[in-house]
Amino acid sequence: MSESLPDLYQFTRAEITELVVGWGYSPVHAATLWNALYWEMAEGIGAMQALPEKVRIRLEKETRLGVLPVALSTDSSDGYTRKFLLTLPDDRRIETVRMRFTGRATACISSQAGCAMGCVFCATGQMGFSRHLAAGEIVAQVVHVARMLKRAGEPRLRNVVVMGMGEPLHNYDATMRALEIVRDSSGLALGAERITVSTVGVVPGILRLAEERQPVSLAVSLHAATQEERAALVPAARAWPLDRLMEACRTYSAITGRRIFYEWTLIEGKNDSADHAHAVGRLLHGLPAQVNLIPLNPTSGYAGEPGRRETAREFQQILANQYNLPSTVRQRRGIDIAAGCGQLAGVV
Ligand code: SAH
Ligand code: SF4
């Protein structure tokens, strides 16, 4: 199998039909192929036994199926989280996480190998950028988790969060193409409201999501309510300052009518005081917003602490009582296997 052949996971259903019909085969074979990809979740073209042999031979010759081999899979002692280290065709490694909340499975997928944004507290940022993932490599991660659930007889995959390695809006086209493929109602059929894209605050990307009315939920990583404090944690804030970011968020909500999730990694002594809660309250007051507080997870390159549980509760109370802002505290999951937010580095 040559790496240069097109990956079947990169095609939309219409493109699969075009390909198969373009070879002179019936559209029925195209439908069978789509079924093999996203219903049976075949692990290779050879396993697609419902297809006539001649079609399989043609597929083998002119395409490849970009299943990503599992280099390592690790279970957290929390019983809810499993992390997969997946190998890309060029031998780079990325991580995908399967989480289970109240019985529902969520796939946390990567959009890049590494990340160019350099957030100081994030393991992916600490490793730097290697490359963008292709659309097929993003789809392959979702299929991997969906297949695993199916083979285990578990309920089907319902939620996807693009919160693994990388900045999805820095790899906009591939990410949006992949999400279109996994939403296809006769394929993995993931609901638009169950797909969340998290961004560090790439302003042009947020505006483009709005203009294109991309059917996704948006999460914006805020972490600080002043430009100075934010730029110290999130270097990308120098390119896209807080006032421009908030303006883009207002535009996004005005155009789409959607609420935005604002993520706030709680770091003891840095951004977790009552004053900080008031500052974020004032910043978001009146906007369609929900705040997700994420107690800091440990990474080798950053010395901060997550702070106490009560601090998060006090933060929430200020947001709710004084600014009418709903918030949640992200449960700490998978920390023992470095599968928590910001801990993915693609290494064993
Ligand atoms: N690049 C995107 C998505 C990946 S990170 C983004 O930055 O939004 C998903 C979330 O985890 C982000 O809100 C990110 O800021 C947060 N995060 C990163 N490192 C973390 C850490 N060590 N502890 C807790 N949250 C972290
Ligand atoms: Fe990149 Fe997001 Fe990590 Fe920042 S938090 S370095 S944007 S993956």
Side-chain angles (χ1 to χ4, degrees):
M1 184 179 80
S2 162
E3 247 185 68
S4 57
L5 293 173
D7 178 1
L8 287 171
Y9 287 138
Q10 82 188 30
F11 295 118
T12 62
R13 188 152 50 97
E15 290 166 347
I16 287 279
T17 307
E18 207 176 300
L19 183 80
V20 172
V21 173
W23 286 339
Y25 301 126
S26 145
V28 172
H29 294 330
T32 308
L33 170 57
W34 187 258
N35 236 23
L37 289 170
Y38 298 110
W39 178 249
E40 287 155 24
M41 295 183 250
E43 277 158 83
I45 294 169
M48 299 178 180
Q49 290 299 321
L51 279 174
E53 198 186 356
K54 59 183 184 198
V55 182
R56 264 183 285 136
I57 290 171
R58 188 80 187 251
L59 286 169
E60 297 268 19
K61 217 166 88 194
E62 298 196 29
T63 68
R64 66 190 173 93
L65 184 61
V67 170
L68 302 175
V70 181
L72 188 72
S73 110
T74 340
D75 280 301
S76 166
S77 60
D78 66 18
Y80 298 102
T81 315
R82 179 180 288 181
K83 182 170 87 162
F84 303 95
L85 184 67
L86 303 175
T87 310
L88 300 172
D90 59 3
D91 282 337
R92 288 190 163 88
R93 302 273 171 87
I94 53 162
E95 293 185 312
T96 301
V97 181
R98 186 230 49 207
M99 302 171 288
R100 222 186 271 119
F101 297 109
T102 59
R104 292 228 178 101
T106 296
C108 176
I109 60 168
S110 296
S111 56
Q112 298 174 319
C115 184
M117 301 295 151
C119 304
V120 295
F121 47 74
C122 170
T124 315
Q126 289 157 16
M127 70 185 276
F129 180 71
S130 308
R131 72 164 169 89
H132 293 302
L133 296 189
E137 293 169 333
I138 300 174
V139 171
Q141 297 172 66
V142 182
V143 174
H144 174 73
V145 175
R147 183 193 291 121
M148 200 205 72
L149 294 169
K150 189 175 163 104
R151 303 282 192 264
E154 293 189 35
R156 78 179 179 89
L157 180 65
R158 299 289 293 276
N159 305 288
V160 168
V161 294
V162 191
M163 292 189 185
M165 296 167 73
E167 167 49 46
L169 300 188
H170 182 214
N171 186 18
Y172 188 98
D173 291 333
T175 303
M176 293 310 137
R177 167 177 274 270
L179 297 182
E180 181 189 344
I181 294 167
V182 303
R183 272 197 310 267
D184 191 291
S185 57
S186 44
L188 294 175
L190 284 150
E193 64 292 347
R194 292 174 182 277
I195 298 178
T196 304
V197 172
S198 174
T199 179
V200 71
V202 178
V203 166
I206 294 171
L207 295 173
R208 198 171 155 199
L209 283 178
E211 277 154 26
E212 296 177 356
R213 305 229 178 2
Q214 286 286 348
V216 294
S217 288
L218 178 63
V220 171
S221 297
L222 206 52
H223 310 311
T226 66
Q227 169 62 11
E228 198 189 346
E229 284 182 352
R230 190 160 186 272
L233 296 170
V234 178
R238 288 182 210 130
W240 301 293
L242 187 61
D243 51 352
R244 280 189 56 211
L245 173 60
M246 293 316 300
E247 198 184 302
C249 290
R250 276 189 288 273
T251 305
Y252 177 90
S253 289
I255 292 179
T256 62
R258 285 171 196 269
R259 145 188 84 161
I260 295 179
F261 297 91
Y262 292 91
E263 292 162 293
W264 190 279
T265 294
L266 283 168
I267 311 169
E268 191 171 44
K270 277 248 176 222
N271 66 356
D272 66 342
S273 70
D275 283 350
H276 287 101
H278 285 287
V280 67
R282 283 192 298 272
L283 189 71
L284 301 180
H285 184 59
L287 292 176
Q290 176 168 327
V291 178
N292 287 340
L293 299 168
I294 316 173
L296 181 76
N297 293 316
T299 59
S300 63
Y302 188 70
E305 292 292 329
R308 295 168 312 128
R309 215 177 257 268
E310 302 82 77
T311 315
R313 216 169 291 136
E314 285 159 20
F315 209 95
Q316 283 194 289
Q317 273 160 6
I318 293 173
L319 294 180
N321 300 340
Q322 307 208 26
Y323 302 94
N324 201 20
L325 280 168
S327 65
T328 54
V329 180
R330 182 107 20 115
Q331 291 180 48
R332 301 192 81 210
R333 291 270 172 84
I335 308 307
D336 55 337
I337 56 165
C341 298
Q343 293 189 304
L344 305 182
V347 288
V348 181

